[in-house]
Amino acid sequence: LEEYYSNHPNTEFSYIGDEQMYVVPENGSYEIELWGAAGNYGDITPGKGAYTKGIINLTKGTKLYIYVGGFNGYNGGGGSSTNRSGGGATDIRLTDGTDFDSLKSRIMVAGGGAGGSTVSDTFNNISAGSGGFNGVGSSWRYPNKENKDHSFNATQTTGYKFGIGENGTTVGNAGGSGAGGGYYGGLKSTDSPSGGAGGGSSYISGYNGCNSIDKKSTEDNIIHTGDSKHYSEIYFVESKIVDGTASVLSSTSNITTGNKNDGYAKISLLEKDNDANISNKL
């Protein structure tokens, strides 16, 4: 665990391939923004990462755990034998670690994009991004096949695994790309030869349409509540989820049309607040 004790209310987190910790410096209202990682591309354009943001009230001294996804697959991206792994998700957790209890403590997730496929570079459709409630599109298929097969993409309740994208496999003369990580990770291509893969889904506690899991859930038995709020009762307001294919402007990074690189996170103090009775205070 890489620990980060912040003495400044506005803090940015880049990819380091490990957990990072944020200690809340002041009681108040904070905006949290996350960018999922793009997939690893090789010589083909990969899927782009999603963007999420929301406002939450936090108490001084609270610890949040930040996992910034990598385009090499860190934090749930599927692997690939051809160096085209899916992008990892970027998320905020209440519990640190690498086990399922840590994974299910996520209160915000920005899904990662799928890796680029090894099919001909004459195609001009991007591979899967991720965002909205579900992964977006699916990547790179031969011209005689539909270029956007949504069956490979993660949703709020389905995907390869909770938090993990599927590894790509070589079929025929093409090496498949890894799927994006996310709330649920995407699925690999079932094409022959292999095409691209699906993007991961995103999640924000309290966001209309998101489907949270029950605290009793285990890795082998995930139970969805049908409620948008996380079991911790911690939730965001004024939240937003943007697809990896859409335009997302940031004053602190070069992310302008979905994230093309490693993931990224930003926590900003909006207003100090000494009221300890706000319903979504953590």
Side-chain angles (χ1 to χ4, degrees):
L1 170 65
E2 169 133 343
E3 296 183 353
Y4 190 92
Y5 291 85
S6 176
N7 292 317
H8 193 278
N10 301 331
T11 305
E12 299 168 25
F13 298 87
S14 298
Y15 167 75
I16 63 168
D18 200 355
E19 302 170 351
Q20 300 175 71
M21 183 168 69
Y22 178 78
V23 181
V24 177
E26 301 281 352
N27 291 346
S29 176
Y30 288 77
E31 180 180 67
I32 296 180
E33 299 175 89
L34 305 180
W35 290 260
N40 201 347
Y41 55 89
D43 56 351
I44 302 294
T45 304
K48 298 173 184 177
Y51 169 81
T52 58
K53 75 171 183 177
I55 296 173
I56 189 170
N57 292 292
L58 299 172
T59 303
K60 182 177 180 179
T62 296
K63 297 176 181 178
L64 297 177
Y65 301 95
I66 297 91
Y67 292 69
V68 178
F71 78 89
N72 63 358
Y74 174 77
N75 203 28
S80 170
S81 61
T82 54
N83 199 33
R84 290 169 174 84
S85 56
T90 296
D91 62 63
I92 300 289
R93 307 185 190 190
L94 305 180
T95 303
D96 68 327
T98 58
D99 60 9
F100 188 78
D101 283 342
S102 173
L103 195 65
K104 73 180 182 181
S105 76
R106 297 177 299 173
I107 55 174
M108 180 184 284
V109 183
S117 169
T118 57
V119 299
S120 168
D121 61 7
T122 59
F123 301 112
N124 57 10
N125 290 308
I126 65 167
S127 60
S130 59
F133 302 136
N134 311 314
V136 180
S138 70
S139 60
W140 295 98
R141 307 183 74 188
Y142 282 93
N144 61 337
K145 296 184 178 180
E146 172 59 43
N147 283 308
K148 293 183 179 180
D149 185 339
H150 294 271
S151 66
F152 300 154
N153 300 295
T155 72
Q156 286 293 299
T157 58
T158 63
Y160 176 60
K161 288 184 179 180
F162 187 72
I164 300 173
E166 189 170 17
N167 294 338
T169 56
T170 297
V171 180
N173 63 352
S177 57
Y183 186 54
Y184 277 85
L187 296 161
K188 70 180 181 182
S189 167
T190 55
D191 289 342
S192 180
S194 295
S201 56
S202 300
Y203 168 83
I204 302 175
S205 176
Y207 189 91
N208 186 34
C210 284
N211 196 332
S212 301
I213 67 170
D214 193 278
K215 187 175 182 179
K216 297 177 182 177
S217 295
T218 65
E219 187 172 3
D220 298 322
N221 183 30
I222 297 175
I223 304 166
H224 281 275
T225 64
D227 193 332
S228 66
K229 292 181 182 177
H230 189 261
Y231 59 76
S232 65
E233 296 298 324
I234 303 305
Y235 65 93
F236 294 84
V237 298
E238 298 182 34
S239 51
K240 186 175 185 179
I241 298 177
V242 180
D243 296 349
T245 55
S247 176
V248 180
L249 300 179
S250 171
S251 61
T252 57
S253 71
N254 294 322
I255 301 167
T256 55
T257 53
N259 187 12
K260 304 176 183 178
N261 302 295
D262 290 325
Y264 186 77
K266 181 180 177 183
I267 301 177
S268 304
L269 175 62
L270 300 180
E271 183 178 3
K272 293 183 181 181
D273 189 347
N274 293 317
D275 181 1
N277 297 312
I278 299 176
S279 61
N280 69 329
K281 182 175 286 293
L282 176 58

